[in-house]
Every structure is written in C-alpha cells, then in structure tokens.
C-alpha cells in the first residue's frame, strides 16, 4: 500500500516538474511525426489532383473540389465574429452581375484551354460569392439583415423551403446522383446568390432606385442591340468574335439561323440571348419596370418616353413571339387595373370622378382588346397562336402526356435536371427539349416541389400587389411593376422551359420583400403611436394574412 502511494506521488511530482510552456502539443514526441505525415499527405493529394485533372479534364476538377469545399466550409465555420464596421462591395457586384448576365451574350466565353465555360458574369459571380461567404461568416449583423428581409414573410419562406426539401430528397433517387448533385448545387447558387446580395444591399433602401434604373437601362440596351440585329439579320458580333473568345459549337447553327416559325420566314430578334423565347421571357420580367420609368417621366423627358415606347413595340413585333406580346399586355392592362383598384378601394378621400374614369378606361381597354383579337387574324396569331404555332403546341401536349405518366409512376420526383430524357423531345443536336418549365419542375421535384417553387413566386407576387395598392410614396409603388414582372414570368413558364432568367425572378422577390417589410414596419409604427393609416383598415388587415 505504501509502495503504491509512493509510486503515485512520485509520478505526480514528476509531472509537476515539467514547465507549463513545454507541455503544449508541439512539444509532444508524436508531433514531429504528425507534421511529416500531414505534409506528405498534402503533397500526395496535390499530385493526385494534378494527375486526375490531366486525365479527366474539367469534370475531374469538380470531383476533387468536394473535399476542398468541405475543408473551406470548416474554416468558415471556425472563423470568429468581428465587431468592426465593414462595407464590402456586395452592392456594386450584385448590380454588375445583374447587368453583365444580360448585357453579355452567355453563349460567348473565354477560349482558354483546360478552363471551364468562363464568361464575365461568371467571373463577377465568383468574386461576389467569395466576398459574401467571407463577410457573412464573420459579421452577425449582416446575417441578421438578410434573414430579416428574406425571412420576413413566413409563407413565402416556407414554400421555398418545401422546394429545397424536394431538391434534397430527390438526389439519391436520381439515375445519376453525382451529376444531379452538381446541377442542383449550381442552380441554387445561381438563384440564391443574387437574392441574398440584393437583400443585404437593401438594408439601405436608397439603393433600390439605382438598381431599378440599372435594370431598365440594361433592358433598353438589349432593345437597341435588337434594332441593329434586325437590320443585319444576325447577332452583330458573330462575325467579329476575337480568337480568345469562343461560341458554344453545339448551338452555333441555331444562333446564326433566323429561328423563323414554320410558314413564316421572318427573322426573329433575340438580342444578347441565344434563343428568341429566352429573350421574350426576360422581357416579361423587366418591361414592367421600364414602363414604370416611362410613366414617371415629366417635361422634356416625355419625348424620350415616347421613343422608348416605340422601341418596345418594335422589339415585340420583330421578336414574333406570343411571349413577347405577353410582356406588352401584362404591364399595360395589369398596371392600369392595379392603378384603378388602388384609386377605388385603397384611397380614402380621393377623387371619385377620376376613379370612375380609370375604371371605365380599364374595362373599355379590355373589351377593345378582346374585340380586336376576335376580329384580327394577326392579333390572334400574336396572342393565342396560329398555324405556325400548331407544331410547338402539339409537341407540348405530347410532353404533358408523358409528364402525367411519369408523375404517376414517380410522384416524388426524378431529381434536378433529369426530366429531359424522361419526357423531352430529342433535338437534331442531341439535346432533350422541353417546352414548359412546369413540366420540368413537376417531373424533377414532383407536385410538392412544383408547389413550393411556383407557390413562392405567386406569394411574392401577391405581396408586391398588396404593397403597391397600399403605397404611400413612389418607393412603395415600385412593388407594382415588380409583381407584374413575376406574374408574367409565372405565365410564360407554361410555354418556356428556361431557368437562365430565374435569378432575376429571385432578385425581384428580394426587392418585393424589402418593400413589403419597409411598409409593414412603417404601418406598425403609425399604429403603435395611435395614428390612422392611409388605407382601408378592413381590407388591409385581411390582406396582411
């Protein structure tokens, strides 16, 4: 017993004789071996990545990026929050991305051997992502700012969360899970990065107006390009592309062609977009904003407004697309209807005669439009469709039939990007084509995913409409054209299968949420002080839910 205690005491005294500064990890015997092993592993890993990249090309880079991304995520998670003021260029980069993605043809990229498809918009997006990730990892106030705006409406947030849940749970069910994961991650990065960046930027609402102006000017730029394109009967730059740039060879013939409809040989303009219907979808989103800018013009600027209206009309006419006509009709008739409803139901003490005139004008315009469509074959062709649209309509109906069978067979969803081989039509270029984004989301993510995505857009549209109807200043009124843009996008998605413009729709959602939150907080302040609100209380309280 005494021997045991003596030995234990001796060991304790021996441990206490080691100085504290020499008891750290780097002074342990195994630390040198651990360092050698770590360096050797990194060298081997670097050599392995180099060999695999040389053998597998760009696809190998994506495969080897997974462990690096995991380590990078761990580093970000370990970064401590800082308490100093920071003003990163997220606002400037977000505006640059929204402009560059449209102004630069996305089918023209840098022709550098061994590199993936790199365009100016992707370079901007990469810089934006790096800055956002590093900034949000260290600034809790910025994270709260974004969460307060994006998460302000629980219904819209819940619907998008439902969509994201379907994206995740369909990954292991996909036929090619690795490719599906890569595609799904890329799509969500493209959707959410602009939305988060815009939400952060709109912590200062003075930035909203410049962003709207930038979007409108970009739209005008594409229309001016289309004037030159229509005169040249081809995209102006296709014959003067320098050697350090390249065009997607699979679709080069399509870009050079007229994209004319069957029975109608007219060249169809598409500006900086490769496909005319993709340009039409973009117009559906942004033309309402442009009309709002025209509506606000006064004095000598009215002349500019008239010229811009003429520019819009020529773009719609020479694009020769039903969707482009939708981009013209929705902001005109929808904007007039919202304005009339706002005057009649949401403006107490307004001029009743003015409200009556607006109401009569809206009803008369709708009746005139219906009569004109019924009596004009050309208007029927541009709105409802004619013989030249019969082929695409028949193909779409066939795809819907295939989609219904696939949904019954697999109601959960086939995974992101897998709907093409299941229900699409194979083009001569070997690409599966689907003529409705509804079909894509129903087959890829099932009815629940479809409900989550388009339900979120519909909810955001509703919030935009209600914000406009209760508007108390010109800033609130911007919610109206933003909502009309989303409504046009939702309608156009029935006949267009394209996700390239989804990032604009998501950015519009952030704009609307910021405006809605601003209005609700202002109203809550007025009510807390016991003051009256400027709109019909019964209708407003019903609309808030």
């Amino acid at each position: 017993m005494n021997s045991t205690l003596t030995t234990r005491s001796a060991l304790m005294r021996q441990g206490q004789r080691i100085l504290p500064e020499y008891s750290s990890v780097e002074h342990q015997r195994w630390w040198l071996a651990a360092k050698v092993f770590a360096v050797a592993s990194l060298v081997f890993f670097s050599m392995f990545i180099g060999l695999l990249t040389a053998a597998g090309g760009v696809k190998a880079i994506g495969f080897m990026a997974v462990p690096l991304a995991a380590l990078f995520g761990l580093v970000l998670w370990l970064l401590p929050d800082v308490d100093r003021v920071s003003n990163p260029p997220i606002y400037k980069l977000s505006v640059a991305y929204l402009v560059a993605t449209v102004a630069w043809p996305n089918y023209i990229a840098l022709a550098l051997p061994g590199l993936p498809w790199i365009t100016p918009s992707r370079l901007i997006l990469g810089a934006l992502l790096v800055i956002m990730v590093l900034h949000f990892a260290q600034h809790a106030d910025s994270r709260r700012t974004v969460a307060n705006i994006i998460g302000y409406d629980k219904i819209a947030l819940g619907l998008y969360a439902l969509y994201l849940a379907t994206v995740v749970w369909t990954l292991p069910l996909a036929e090619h899970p690795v490719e599906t994961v890569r595609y799904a991650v890329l799509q969500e990065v493209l959707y959410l990065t602009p939305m988060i960046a815009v939400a952060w930027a709109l912590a200062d609402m003075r930035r909203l107006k410049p962003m709207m102006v930038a979007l409108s000017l970009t739209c005008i730029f594409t229309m001016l390009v289309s004037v030159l394109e229509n005169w040249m009967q081809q995209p102006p730059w296709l014959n003067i592309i320098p050697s350090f740039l390249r065009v997607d060879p699979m679709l080069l013939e399509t870009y050079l062609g007229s994209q004319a409809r069957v029975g109608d040989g007219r060249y169809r303009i598409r500006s900086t977009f490769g496909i005319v219907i993709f340009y039409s979808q973009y117009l559906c989103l942004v033309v309402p904003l442009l009309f709002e800018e025209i509506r606000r013009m006064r004095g000598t600027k009215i002349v500019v407004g008239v010229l811009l209206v003429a520019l819009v009309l020529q773009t719609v006419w020479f694009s020769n697309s039903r969707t482009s006509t939708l981009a013209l009709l929705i902001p005109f008739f929808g904007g007039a209807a919202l304005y009339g409803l706002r005057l009649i139901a949401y403006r107490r003490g307004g001029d009743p005669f003015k409200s009556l005139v607006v109401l009569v004008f809206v009803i008369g315009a709708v009746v005139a439009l219906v009569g004109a469509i019924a009596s004009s074959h050309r208007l029927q062709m541009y709105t409802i469709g004619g013989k030249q649209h019969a082929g695409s309509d028949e193909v779409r109906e066939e795809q819907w039939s295939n989609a219904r069978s696939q949904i019954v067979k697999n109601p959960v969803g086939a995974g992101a990007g897998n709907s093409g081989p299941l229900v699409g039509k194979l083009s001569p270029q070997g690409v599966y084509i689907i003529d409705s984004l509804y079909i894509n989301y129903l087959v890829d993510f099932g009815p629940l995913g479809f409900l989550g995505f388009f339900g979120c857009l519909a909810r955001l549209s509703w919030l935009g409409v209600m914000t406009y109807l209760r508007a108390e200043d010109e800033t609130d009124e911007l919610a109206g054209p933003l909502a009309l843009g989303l409504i046009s996008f939702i309608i156009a998605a029935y006949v267009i299968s394209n996700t390239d413009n989804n990032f604009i729709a998501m950015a519009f959602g952030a704009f609307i949420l910021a405006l809605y939150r601003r209005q609700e907080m202002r109203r809550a302040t007025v009510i807390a002080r016991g003051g009256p609100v400027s709109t019909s209380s019964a209708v407003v309280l019903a609309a808030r839910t």
Side-chain angles (χ1 to χ4, degrees), residues 102-250:
V102 176
W104 179 270
N106 62 359
Y107 54 83
I108 300 179
L110 294 175
L112 299 178
L115 289 181
W117 194 259
I118 297 179
T119 61
S121 60
R122 289 197 173 192
L123 291 176
I124 296 172
L125 178 64
L128 179 61
L129 271 173
V130 171
I131 292 174
M132 285 176 56
V133 168
L134 294 176
H135 177 75
F136 289 126
Q138 301 179 77
H139 291 82
D141 56 338
S142 294
R143 297 194 295 269
R144 283 192 297 269
T145 297
V146 173
N148 288 339
I149 292 178
I150 294 181
Y152 190 75
D153 184 72
K154 304 305 180 185
I155 297 178
L157 182 63
L159 287 169
Y160 199 81
L162 174 63
Y163 159 71
L164 288 180
T166 62
V167 172
V168 173
W169 75 49
T170 55
L171 293 178
L173 304 177
E175 185 176 355
H176 305 287
V178 176
E179 288 296 320
T180 302
V181 169
R182 184 191 63 82
Y183 178 80
V185 171
L186 176 62
Q187 291 301 306
E188 294 311 313
V189 168
L190 293 175
Y191 297 170
L192 295 179
T193 301
M195 187 178 193
I196 295 173
V198 167
W200 179 88
L202 292 183
D204 183 357
M205 290 298 293
R206 292 174 297 181
R207 294 169 172 166
L208 177 64
K209 180 62 176 177
M211 297 180 85
M212 298 294 101
V213 172
L215 289 171
S216 299
L217 290 176
T218 306
C219 182
I220 294 172
F221 170 76
T222 65
M223 292 181 180
L224 292 174
V225 169
S226 70
V227 174
L228 180 60
E229 177 193 5
N230 188 54
W231 177 67
M232 298 177 63
Q233 294 291 287
Q234 71 169 25
W237 43 79
L238 280 183
N239 291 333
I240 56 173
I241 296 177
S243 59
F244 61 88
L245 297 177
R246 58 177 173 168
V247 180
D248 187 348
M250 291 183 60

Side-chain angles (χ1 to χ4, degrees), residues 76-94:
L76 292 176
W77 180 68
L78 293 174
L79 286 177
D81 280 343
V82 295
D83 244 351
R84 64 175 181 270
V85 178
S86 177
N87 187 27
I90 295 177
Y91 163 61
K92 296 177 181 178
L93 286 174
S94 62

